[in-house]
Amino acid sequence: VMKKMSKIFIFSALILSGMLACKKEENRVIFTGGTAPALTASVADSIPLSYATQDNEALQLSWTNPNYQFNTGISSLNVNYNVEIDTAGANFTNSNREVLSLGTDLSRTFTQGAFNDYLLNQRQLKPSISHNVEVRVTAFLVGGAEPLMSNVLKFTVTPFAIPPKVTPPASGNLYIVGSAVSGGWNNP
């Protein structure tokens, strides 16, 4: 019995010493930095917008890859990009700013109609009035990790009003008749 117990004890001691001697090896991947994307545009100061030329190019944005670096080298992960459009001075904190998810592309072209739509419908800017807007690109890895913001470009734009789909009468006055109005069916 004693011999059997000593064998169990020795065997247990060997297993325990083997477990204690094992060193956990792990390869930690650590983010070491990146370069903010450099944003450029096809226009300098103002973005042309007109209903008559709404299918023409208004603006082309291009930016550089931020080359995310890890201790294992340059990232092989896909970098995703958002373009943000906001009014000048809001620092991209306005809840109505336009944020466009672009995937992995390094450029985006906007037609005059599409850019006007962002200004009128998302930013809710008034048409026929000159506005100052700012544009930037945000680069990020999967899940929004490690965002890097580009330089900010500033533009002057004058959104155009969308004409009505129905041509109003020459008098400029529209009338409605029926049980929904106070004059009923006899409304002139």
Side-chain angles (χ1 to χ4, degrees):
V1 178
M2 190 70 142
K3 215 177 202 185
K4 197 174 197 183
M5 293 227 350
S6 72
K7 285 182 182 181
I8 291 175
F9 177 74
I10 291 173
F11 181 69
S12 297
L14 286 173
I15 290 178
L16 183 59
S17 67
M19 287 175 32
L20 292 176
C22 287
K23 188 176 182 182
K24 184 176 180 182
E25 290 186 33
E26 59 183 71
N27 185 12
R28 290 188 181 203
V29 178
I30 300 170
F31 176 69
T32 59
T35 306
L39 178 62
T40 58
S42 60
V43 297
D45 298 323
S46 65
I47 300 172
L49 299 177
S50 169
Y51 180 74
T53 57
Q54 67 180 329
D55 293 330
N56 292 355
E57 181 180 304
L59 171 70
Q60 181 181 26
L61 298 173
S62 301
W63 51 92
T64 58
N65 185 322
N67 293 319
Y68 280 97
Q69 296 281 328
F70 292 88
N71 61 336
T72 56
I74 293 178
S75 173
S76 62
L77 298 172
N78 283 337
V79 177
N80 292 290
Y81 303 95
N82 287 342
V83 168
E84 294 178 83
I85 304 167
D86 203 356
T87 49
N91 295 324
F92 301 96
T93 59
N94 193 320
S95 61
N96 288 338
R97 77 182 183 280
E98 180 66 23
V99 179
L100 304 166
S101 296
L102 302 180
T104 59
D105 293 339
L106 291 173
S107 69
R108 172 70 183 257
T109 300
F110 299 91
T111 64
Q112 292 181 24
F115 202 82
N116 189 71
D117 185 54
Y118 298 137
L119 299 176
L120 289 179
N121 295 324
Q122 183 64 27
R123 284 294 309 117
Q124 300 176 359
L125 300 179
K126 292 183 180 182
S128 304
I129 297 173
S130 179
H131 298 276
N132 294 318
V133 297
E134 297 178 334
V135 178
R136 76 175 178 189
V137 170
T138 302
F140 56 92
L141 295 173
V142 178
E146 304 301 338
L148 293 172
M149 277 56 142
S150 75
N151 53 307
V152 175
L153 299 180
K154 298 177 183 199
F155 302 100
T156 301
V157 295
T158 303
F160 58 84
I162 310 281
K165 301 283 183 195
V166 177
T167 305
S171 68
N173 297 318
L174 292 175
Y175 298 96
I176 183 172
V177 296
S179 59
V181 294
S182 60
W185 289 98
N186 296 323
N187 194 13

